[in-house]
Amino acid sequence: MGTSGSFVFGPEGARNQASCVAQALGVPASSTSLAFVDACRALGVPRVAVAASYPDEVAQHFVGFLTGGGLEVVAMGSHGIFTAAEVGTLAADQVIAMVKAAGHPDAEAVLVPDAAMHSLEIVDDLEATIGKPVLTANQVTVWKGLDLLGPVPSLPSLGSLFSARGTYA
């Protein structure tokens, strides 16, 4: 399921989705959207900015999800892209520009909520560009999956999130 499929129904909807998956499979489960909130808590960053590739209406759902999860969204940029196929064609410099544009001075991290975006390999570049943590959909999904299994290993090439050790619930 894409990121938006786990936030359009709010935090309670995402928790219900994860709970149903966990019950059906008999293993712990989460979602990308829940992972964003958990990752922010793990890093101790309650104020965030959002760099969304989505159209404004969809991006606003993500902002509402984050707010419902206890985060303060101080800025949000949406880029009006409707399809995952188009998002997947964004070049690294375009993603960096989108994150840089969202880098509000009051935000302690910038969140990039589109799993179709090829951002995992440039997390360090994104963080270097804005000088603060950047959390991407694929990055937080991998982190949360590892977190559900036990202590998250340090993987420095995957940004600040993977520099913090231990489990965070």
Side-chain angles (χ1 to χ4, degrees), residues 4-155:
S4 62
S6 69
F7 67 70
V8 294
F9 300 111
E12 184 176 340
R15 285 190 294 273
N16 287 340
Q17 286 176 339
S19 177
C20 287
V21 170
Q23 288 177 350
L25 298 176
V27 296
S30 188
S31 71
T32 300
S33 298
L34 293 170
F36 270 112
V37 173
D38 290 346
C40 288
R41 288 185 184 139
L43 291 174
V45 292
R47 287 183 307 283
V48 300
V50 173
S53 58
Y54 308 126
D56 187 66
E57 181 180 348
V58 177
Q60 290 296 341
H61 280 289
F62 186 61
V63 168
F65 180 90
L66 296 171
T67 302
L71 300 175
E72 179 185 352
V73 179
V74 298
M76 189 273 292
S78 64
H79 291 80
I81 300 175
F82 286 93
T83 68
E86 186 178 353
V87 170
T89 66
L90 293 174
D93 61 329
Q94 293 173 295
V95 176
I96 290 169
M98 183 172 32
V99 169
K100 188 174 181 180
H104 191 279
D106 293 337
E108 298 168 293
V110 175
L111 281 52
V112 186
D114 197 325
M117 188 178 296
H118 299 276
S119 57
L120 198 56
E121 64 274 4
I122 61 168
V123 171
D124 285 342
D125 295 334
L126 295 171
E127 290 189 352
T129 298
I130 64 165
K132 58 183 76 176
V134 174
L135 302 175
T136 72
N138 294 322
Q139 174 201 36
V140 301
T141 301
V142 169
W143 173 83
K144 188 61 187 177
L146 292 169
D147 182 57
L148 289 172
L149 296 172
V152 176
S154 178
L155 301 168

